[in-house]
Amino acid sequence: MAGEAVSAREAILTRIRAAQGRQGAEPDATQLERVRATIARHEAGPLPGNARNADPVAKFRAECDRVGTTHAEVGSIDAVPAEVARYLRANNLEARVAAWHEFAELDWTAAGVAVDDRPANPNDRTGLTGCFCTIAETGTLLLLSSPATPKVTALLPETHLCVASKSRLVNTMEDSFALLRRERGEPPRATFFVSGPSRTADIEQTIVIGAHGPYRVHVILIP
C-alpha cells in the first residue's frame, strides 16, 4: 500500500512537472540550489502604491480604526499606567492586568491599577504586552514569543492592551520581516500578527468578535 502511495505521488508530481516543461518527479541538485538562492535573497513582491506613507503614524491610526483596534498616544512610557487606568475605567473593566515583566516597575500604584507580573491565565480579564514592531499598512502588531514575552498574555484575556513605540513603526509587512531578520536573524518559535480583535464569520456569515482571542485590542503609542 505504501509503495502504491509513493507511486501515485510520483505520478502526480511527474505530471505537474511535465506540464511545466520539466522532467521526473523531483527537482535535481541544480534546481534545488536555485530555489535555495532565491529564498536567501528574501525578494519582496510588488507593493501597492499606497503601501508606503509619508505619515505612517496617521496611516497606522486609520487602519486601527478600520479593523476595530482602539488607540491612544502618551508622551512617555511613564504615562502608560494612567492611560491603562483610563481605558479600564472607560470600559468598566477591573483595575487589574497581567503584564509582561518589562512593565512591572512602572508606577501602577499611583494609577490605581494592580499588576500581576506573570503570564496570563484563564482567570485574567486583561493582558498588557509590548510588541516587536507595528505595521502601518494594516494597523497590525507583530509580537514574538519568548520566556520574557509570553504570547498567552496577548491571546488569552478578553482584553489585550499593547504598548507600541512609534520609533518601531514600519510601513509594510515586508518591512517588518526585514527588521526581524536584521535584528534577530531567525524568527523565534512563535511569531504572530494582531490586526484588531479576534473575529470569525464561519457561522452563517455573521461576524462574531472575540471568537478565538481578545474581544478588545487597545494600542498605547509611546515615542
Side-chain angles (χ1 to χ4, degrees):
M1 182 64 74
E4 294 177 1
V6 170
S7 297
R9 173 182 178 276
E10 290 178 348
I12 292 171
L13 293 176
T14 298
R15 287 200 298 273
I16 293 174
R17 289 175 59 80
Q20 297 172 334
R22 301 174 183 178
Q23 301 299 316
E26 303 289 344
D28 58 28
T30 301
Q31 292 168 333
L32 285 175
E33 183 58 33
R34 194 178 303 149
V35 171
R36 294 190 184 99
T38 299
I39 293 174
R41 286 198 296 271
H42 301 298
E43 293 179 352
L47 295 173
N50 62 352
R52 301 192 187 283
N53 289 269
D55 189 347
V57 176
K59 176 65 173 175
F60 177 75
R61 289 195 185 106
E63 290 302 312
C64 283
D65 293 338
R66 186 179 63 81
V67 299
T69 296
T70 58
H71 50 89
E73 184 170 343
V74 297
S76 71
I77 185 68
D78 292 331
V80 167
E83 170 54 24
V84 169
R86 183 206 65 77
Y87 179 85
L88 296 176
R89 284 195 304 271
N91 290 276
N92 295 315
L93 299 173
E94 180 186 13
R96 175 180 290 276
V97 300
W100 283 0
H101 177 70
E102 65 186 84
F103 304 112
E105 299 303 318
L106 297 177
D107 189 358
W108 295 102
T109 301
V113 177
V115 167
D116 297 316
D117 179 13
R118 55 166 172 73
N121 63 49
N123 296 319
D124 291 312
R125 293 293 175 263
T126 302
L128 175 66
T129 77
C131 61
F132 178 73
C133 70
T134 51
I135 302 169
E137 183 183 16
T138 52
T140 297
L141 314 171
L142 171 55
L143 287 82
L144 309 179
S145 70
S146 77
T149 58
K151 63 179 181 180
V152 292
T153 305
L155 300 176
L156 200 54
E158 65 184 17
T159 299
H160 175 200
L161 308 181
C162 180
V163 179
S165 173
K166 290 189 293 183
S167 66
R168 298 188 65 80
L169 173 62
V170 298
N171 268 305
T172 67
M173 186 170 291
E174 287 84 350
D175 292 339
S176 73
F177 281 122
L179 183 63
L180 179 57
R181 284 192 295 269
R182 189 163 60 247
E183 295 188 353
R184 302 292 181 90
E186 294 295 325
R189 183 169 183 268
T191 299
F192 56 106
F193 297 88
V194 177
S195 299
S198 170
R199 68 192 68 198
T200 182
D202 287 349
I203 301 175
E204 297 182 348
Q205 299 297 300
T206 301
I207 294 291
V208 176
I209 302 296
H212 309 296
Y215 182 80
R216 308 177 189 87
V217 177
H218 182 64
V219 177
I220 303 172
L221 290 169
I222 62 175

